[in-house]
């Protein structure tokens, strides 16, 4: 049987810019960065969580044609490519303030929800990210 989710994938048109955002602004660390000829395998993870990584995949060969890759890049930019990441934090207001100070595009201010406090943002490409401080108990 399946035992864990180990890698989640999102499309990013520029992997170096994605590294600057995910590592430089959100605090991830590079897990792997390998050149496989037509593609670069680039994964990042949160510190202390090497068993859960995000693959920052550039649309293109070998998984799709250039025509399809152009359509995917356009969908990402519109925010409709389906890229969503959900993260937890200890203090939503503090995390929100820190990210805002780093120039991160906040799309939704912190809101009290039945499950806790969360807010939304987008990466430089249009992928959606939600960060939540979950209620205890």
């Amino acid at each position: 049987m399946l035992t864990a989710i180990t890698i989640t994938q999102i499309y990013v048109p520029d992997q170096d810019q994605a590294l600057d955002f995910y590592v430089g602004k959100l605090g991830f660390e590079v897990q792997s960065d390998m050149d496989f000829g037509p593609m670069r395998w680039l994964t990042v993870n949160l510190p202390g969580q090497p068993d859960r990584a995000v693959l920052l995949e550039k649309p293109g060969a070998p998984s799709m044609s250039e025509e399809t890759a152009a359509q995917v890049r356009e969908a990402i930019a519109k925010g409709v490519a389906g890229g969503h990441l959900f993260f937890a934090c200890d203090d939503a207001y503090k995390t929100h303030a820190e990210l805002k100070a780093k120039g991160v595009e906040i799309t939704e201010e912190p809101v009290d929800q039945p499950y806790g406090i969360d807010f939304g943002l987008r990466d430089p490409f249009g992928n959606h990210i939600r960060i939540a401080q979950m209620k205890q108990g």
Side-chain angles (χ1 to χ4, degrees):
M1 293 301 305
L2 303 176
T3 60
I5 296 174
T6 59
I7 300 174
T8 300
Q9 177 271 359
I10 59 169
Y11 287 120
V12 296
D14 183 317
Q15 289 172 307
D16 290 325
Q17 187 179 5
L19 273 179
D20 181 58
F21 179 78
Y22 285 93
V23 174
K25 295 196 186 324
L26 297 188
F28 282 72
E29 56 191 18
V30 175
Q31 183 180 73
S32 61
D33 189 352
M34 297 178 278
D35 183 0
F36 285 113
M39 74 170 291
R40 177 182 178 190
W41 180 265
L42 178 60
T43 59
V44 296
N45 60 275
L46 290 170
Q49 292 193 335
D51 57 334
R52 296 182 184 169
V54 177
L55 171 63
L56 304 173
E57 183 178 0
K58 183 176 180 178
S63 63
M64 63 184 70
S65 69
E66 180 50 41
E67 178 184 347
T68 300
Q71 294 170 340
V72 170
R73 288 190 296 272
E74 183 179 340
I76 295 166
K78 291 179 180 179
V80 297
H84 284 79
L85 297 172
F86 297 85
F87 299 104
C89 69
D90 293 326
D91 184 329
Y93 291 106
K94 180 180 177 187
T95 302
H96 171 267
E98 289 170 348
L99 293 176
K100 200 167 190 175
K102 291 180 179 181
V104 172
E105 178 191 355
I106 305 294
T107 57
E108 185 180 334
E109 297 296 315
V111 175
D112 285 311
Q113 304 284 3
Y115 52 83
I117 303 165
D118 80 344
F119 63 97
L121 55 117
R122 293 178 82 182
D123 74 8
F125 316 105
N127 291 303
H128 298 276
I129 298 171
R130 301 233 28 114
I131 299 176
Q133 173 187 338
M134 305 305 285
K135 285 187 179 176
Q136 300 299 318

